[in-house]
Amino acid sequence: NALFYDPVSAALIDHVGGLADLRSRRIRVIGNAGERFREDPVRVWRVIRYAARLGFVIDEEAGREIIAQRHLLSACSSARLFEEFCKDLLGPQARSVVTGLKNYGILHLLLGHIGEAFEADPRLFDWACELLDIADREKALHRDPGLGEMTVLFFWPWVESLLAGAPPDPGAVLKMAFMDAGLAVALPKSLRAQAIDVMVLVARMRRALRTGNMRWSMRGRPQYGQASRLFFLIELHRSPQEGESFESLFQKA
């Protein structure tokens, strides 16, 4: 957005060396990067997003200031942070963007204890990246997962560990875990409740496939269809084919 076009002379006007940056595949902040980030800390996030989506490198000064100023993100409104979070989940290259946030030590600032878990446990983060890869492939095939599905896929590796012991009331366990996570990104209550319902159903489907016992009354739950599709993405790393459902898969097992 620093390049200008003169329609009369058909000339591209570049006051800040933007064309050279494009040729070098480099993301650079106009002016003093530290000042720009202090003016609006969300720019820290956006620099990482642009670099990840375009496959560009981040300028050395900008990289230093991201680390120095990243803590300011915690002072941004949680609603605005959620808006930015949605852009990453629903947009292209979700895995690359989230990896960039992790590499710059930002996940824990946005996602509290969940971000800390992703930053501390490589296996947990690799599993999250694998699921984001699957989601990115779905987007490329124009089978875009909605926000609810992307929320389930992104948080699933963390949720899976909480449900490992099959607690009697998994919904209550997840609700309390999200409330205690210290999220700076404000997940709306409706989105969180919907995601928890789907996660519980997916967990029960996975357990049913192992044990051979399934409570088919769950088919009456409003989120059952969505949970069935996500079961395929999580368990089989693909979408269900035409005519496929969890029931058909269960019968073959």
Side-chain angles (χ1 to χ4, degrees):
N1 62 3
L3 298 175
F4 299 88
Y5 179 68
D6 183 346
V8 176
S9 63
L12 199 61
I13 301 168
D14 179 10
H15 294 298
V16 294
L19 290 174
D21 289 336
L22 288 173
R23 286 192 290 267
S24 301
R25 300 180 65 81
R26 175 178 59 189
I27 299 291
R28 187 164 54 89
V29 177
I30 298 172
N32 182 284
E35 290 181 8
R36 299 290 87 80
F37 293 155
R38 285 189 290 274
E39 289 169 356
D40 184 0
V42 168
R43 289 173 179 159
V44 166
W45 195 338
R46 290 175 178 166
V47 166
I48 295 171
R49 177 185 299 132
Y50 295 148
R53 286 184 178 176
L54 297 172
F56 281 26
V57 298
I58 295 176
D59 174 74
E60 186 176 341
E61 180 197 357
R64 285 196 307 268
E65 291 299 330
I66 285 174
I67 294 172
Q69 310 296 338
R70 62 192 175 190
H71 65 283
L72 297 176
L73 280 166
S74 301
C76 296
S77 83
S78 56
R80 189 175 181 210
L81 294 178
F82 173 69
E83 181 181 347
E84 296 296 321
F85 186 59
C86 290
K87 292 177 184 177
D88 291 341
L89 289 186
L90 297 175
Q93 303 293 331
R95 174 186 178 155
S96 297
V97 178
V98 170
T99 299
L101 293 172
K102 175 183 178 290
N103 291 342
Y104 278 97
I106 289 174
L107 283 182
H108 73 279
L109 297 173
L110 303 175
L111 302 175
H113 298 319
I114 304 174
E116 290 172 0
F118 282 144
E119 290 178 350
D121 188 340
R123 289 177 298 178
L124 200 69
F125 185 71
D126 287 347
W127 182 206
C129 285
E130 190 174 344
L131 291 175
L132 290 176
D133 265 342
I134 294 166
D136 284 338
R137 289 201 301 269
E138 290 292 292
K139 295 171 190 174
L141 294 169
H142 305 292
R143 295 195 295 255
D144 293 5
L147 182 58
E149 291 189 1
M150 287 301 303
T151 301
V152 172
L153 289 172
F154 178 68
F155 288 112
W156 178 259
W158 173 73
V159 163
E160 189 177 36
S161 64
L162 298 176
L163 300 182
D169 189 349
V173 169
L174 294 186
K175 181 178 179 180
M176 186 60 65
F178 273 105
M179 289 178 63
D180 292 343
L183 295 170
V185 174
L187 295 180
K189 289 182 180 179
S190 58
L191 174 64
R192 188 177 63 214
Q194 176 188 348
I196 288 173
D197 284 347
V198 172
M199 290 167 177
V200 170
L201 285 170
V202 171
R204 286 177 172 163
M205 288 173 178
R206 298 184 84 201
R207 188 162 61 250
L209 209 61
R210 293 194 304 270
T211 64
N213 297 318
M214 179 63 182
R215 290 171 52 190
W216 292 112
S217 60
M218 291 193 303
R219 284 180 291 190
R221 300 276 288 274
Q223 311 299 340
Y224 181 82
Q226 189 178 48
S228 180
R229 167 175 156 76
L230 285 168
F231 171 84
F232 275 82
L233 294 178
I234 292 169
E235 190 73 14
L236 302 179
H237 298 182
R238 65 172 177 82
S239 289
Q241 298 173 359
E242 187 175 353
E244 269 191 318
S245 65
F246 172 73
E247 292 97 312
S248 63
L249 196 66
F250 183 82
Q251 291 166 1
K252 292 177 182 178

